[in-house]
Amino acid sequence: MQRQKIVIVGSGLAAYVLASKLWQHADVTIITKNTTKHSNSIRAQGGVAAAISAKDQWQLHLEDTLKAGMYHNHQIAVKTLVKEGKEVVENLLQQGFPADRDQQGNILFGREGAHSQRRIIHAGGDQTGKYLINFYQKFLQGKIAIKEGQLAVDCIVERGECKGITTIDQHDQYHTIIADHTVLATGGFAALYDTTSNDPSTTGDGIALAYRAGANVTDLEFVQFHPTMLAIKTQHNDLISEAVRGEGASLVDQDYRAIMKGIHPLENLAPRDIVARAIMEEITKGNHIFLDIRKIKNFQTKFPFINSVCEMNNIDLHRGMIPVKPGAHFTMGGVETDLLGRTNVSRLYAIGEVACTHVHGANRLASNSLLEAMVFATRLANYLQSQPLLSSTKIQKVQQLQFTSQDPDLDQLRTRMTVNVGINRDETRFKNMLEWLDKFTIIEENCLSVFGLSRKQVQMQHHLLVARLVTKAARQRTESRGAHHRVDYPYQSEQWKNKSITFQLTKQGVSV
Ligand code: SIN
């Protein structure tokens, strides 16, 4: 029997989980624009949230997720996440994943913002993502093909069906990969902002690819800013995990004034958007904000990675003060999928952060993203196993035209996104952003390959398109909800309740 060909774009956790469940049935190829050392998953310091402790219940995890998401989440999607998440995590532990445990061998459950229970499973202290990726890479060695340095250009869509992907390598050579099933697992777009916890490669490529292919993209206005990035410009934009506050650190100013007092009943563990805005307000007033870690015992053992980052940046941890500021961290919206990972384009799928399964609503609950990647990759794997092959693998040959464009540089785009579509938003800023974007040619049709762009131009086309879609979505939602905060519409509006802004190439609108 002929084996299915599956191409996965991206090399984070969702991609590996999918590959690990399919390699026996299919020829799986992972393509990545950099190397497999680059992904957000590898950087994840927070862990995996799952209601597996004897004191916990999935119903509590469900309620915490909905509350953090401002009830903009789809309840059925969240129920799937938290119920199946328990099974997925229990299986992972049975397979020998080295979660952190106490001396008696019991799992150490961590706590993070807006969780009512201790339910976060970590590995290597603050290196869960790295441990997960290592675990799957080891398992998959020799079982799948990995192509590094290939930037995805276009999905190949003929008569409404996706037949694979075109890519461009580092020498500007185009390649065609025909596949029975094409899966986008490219991560979010938080690296389109200048302070970000993300790997620089995480710029929303999958959203641009899917949109040009005719897929729905939705909820793009919801961008989560993590309150505590290290406030020192390093090459890596390092995150100081919320787990540090979960263990008792407090946000203070230069005079040790606790800044979250009176702002929210959960104080330092309030939802991220509230903490991020409180810190921004202090910074705008000219204050410097720190995480006061003096109450945390054994900081170095609990947070070995953060400890080493602080040492590398000459932060004297004996003083117990880590300088912090907010940065773009996670994007709740993305390519709209059903609960099997299917988009509205036949044979095109999305999993992980690039997808919008509607589990996160207007604001993601901490440590739900690795869980989402695992749950929905597992579901897609189960679905794909029984799907038919393409009826014809013939595709039309693409003739390339000459194209010139005047593009901005990425740093300019990032700065403008941060100022205009950042933590605090309003109509004037959106207008400025859209006027600036209008200066550049942005190709919306599914034909970048036809234009024969260089790799640098293709990458900029992805960036510009995503920036425009995000700005348009944010402008359209005339209210504040969760991570989307407009100073000109500071409150939630009934009119926007349960409504998502969805864009599709041929039509755009608000869906309920
Ligand atoms: C963190 O460790 O603070 C980030 C975890 C997450 O965003 O899920």
Side-chain angles (χ1 to χ4, degrees), residues 45-46 112 226 239 241-243 272 329 364 366-369:
Q45 293 179 10
E112 286 179 17
H226 195 288
L239 180 77
S241 174
E242 195 161 84
R272 285 187 179 164
H329 181 56
R364 179 183 58 100
S367 288
N368 265 355
S369 45

Side-chain angles (χ1 to χ4, degrees), residues 43-47 112 115 120 122 126 197 224 226-228 239-245 272 306 329-330 364-370:
R43 297 166 72 103
Q45 293 179 10
E112 286 179 17
H115 281 276
I120 322 289
H122 288 102
D126 49 9
S197 60
Q224 182 176 81
H226 195 288
T228 57
L239 180 77
I240 310 297
S241 174
E242 195 161 84
V244 174
R245 276 175 284 139
R272 285 187 179 164
I306 297 172
H329 181 56
F330 188 87
R364 179 183 58 100
L365 183 68
S367 288
N368 265 355
S369 45
L370 295 176

Side-chain angles (χ1 to χ4, degrees), residues 40 187-191 193 196-198 222-226 272 327-333 352-355 359-360 363-365 368-370 372 483:
N40 266 352
F189 57 85
Y193 290 83
T196 174
S197 60
N198 282 208
F222 297 112
V223 177
Q224 182 176 81
F225 289 81
H226 195 288
R272 285 187 179 164
H329 181 56
F330 188 87
T331 47
M332 274 65 78
E353 190 174 343
V354 70
V359 290
H360 302 304
N363 209 356
R364 179 183 58 100
L365 183 68
N368 265 355
S369 45
L370 295 176
E372 182 197 18

Side-chain angles (χ1 to χ4, degrees), residues 161-395:
E161 185 172 63
C162 184
K163 292 182 150 188
I165 197 117
T166 45
T167 66
I168 189 164
D169 64 25
Q170 275 136 339
H171 309 289
D172 285 347
Q173 293 300 309
Y174 279 80
H175 305 267
T176 300
I177 303 175
I178 305 290
D180 297 292
H181 304 286
T182 302
V183 184
L184 303 173
T186 53
F189 57 85
L192 286 182
Y193 290 83
D194 61 10
T195 303
T196 174
S197 60
N198 282 208
D199 185 88
S201 60
T202 320
T203 51
D205 297 352
I207 292 172
L209 289 162
Y211 176 79
R212 283 194 302 264
N216 288 347
V217 296
T218 192
D219 276 352
L220 298 179
E221 65 276 31
F222 297 112
V223 177
Q224 182 176 81
F225 289 81
H226 195 288
T228 57
M229 302 277 311
L230 187 63
I232 287 177
K233 190 80 187 164
T234 64
Q235 212 189 340
H236 299 291
N237 274 338
D238 291 298
L239 180 77
I240 310 297
S241 174
E242 195 161 84
V244 174
R245 276 175 284 139
E247 290 299 316
S250 149
L251 284 159
V252 298
D253 69 6
Q254 60 281 351
D255 302 320
Y256 293 91
R257 177 178 56 94
I259 65 157
M260 289 309 295
K261 271 226 155 17
I263 304 258
H264 189 279
L266 287 173
E267 298 191 355
N268 291 293
L269 289 175
R272 285 187 179 164
D273 59 308
I274 293 172
V275 184
R277 281 201 301 280
I279 296 177
M280 266 325 271
E281 206 175 311
E282 294 292 338
I283 292 175
T284 313
K285 285 186 210 153
N287 290 326
H288 296 279
I289 303 304
F290 300 86
L291 267 173
D292 177 355
I293 59 164
R294 288 175 299 170
K295 285 199 191 125
I296 304 182
K297 291 202 183 85
N298 306 324
F299 185 84
Q300 184 176 356
T301 324
K302 284 182 179 148
F303 302 106
F305 179 74
I306 297 172
N307 193 75
S308 69
V309 164
C310 289
E311 278 178 3
M312 256 160 20
N313 286 288
N314 300 320
I315 293 164
D316 177 8
L317 284 175
H318 295 110
R319 258 193 79 221
M321 298 279 268
I322 305 176
V324 290
K325 65 175 176 192
H329 181 56
F330 188 87
T331 47
M332 274 65 78
V335 182
E336 190 166 44
T337 68
D338 65 8
L339 298 184
L340 294 172
R342 294 181 295 192
T343 72
N344 55 307
V345 176
S346 172
R347 297 180 184 270
L348 178 64
Y349 311 84
I351 46 173
E353 190 174 343
V354 70
C356 182
T357 52
H358 295 283
V359 290
H360 302 304
N363 209 356
R364 179 183 58 100
L365 183 68
S367 288
N368 265 355
S369 45
L370 295 176
L371 185 70
E372 182 197 18
M374 291 195 283
V375 167
F376 290 95
T378 304
R379 296 190 122 237
L380 178 59
N382 293 339
Y383 169 77
L384 287 181
Q385 280 174 33
S386 59
Q387 292 310 299
L389 303 176
L390 275 171
S391 49
S392 160
T393 55
K394 284 212 183 81
I395 56 161

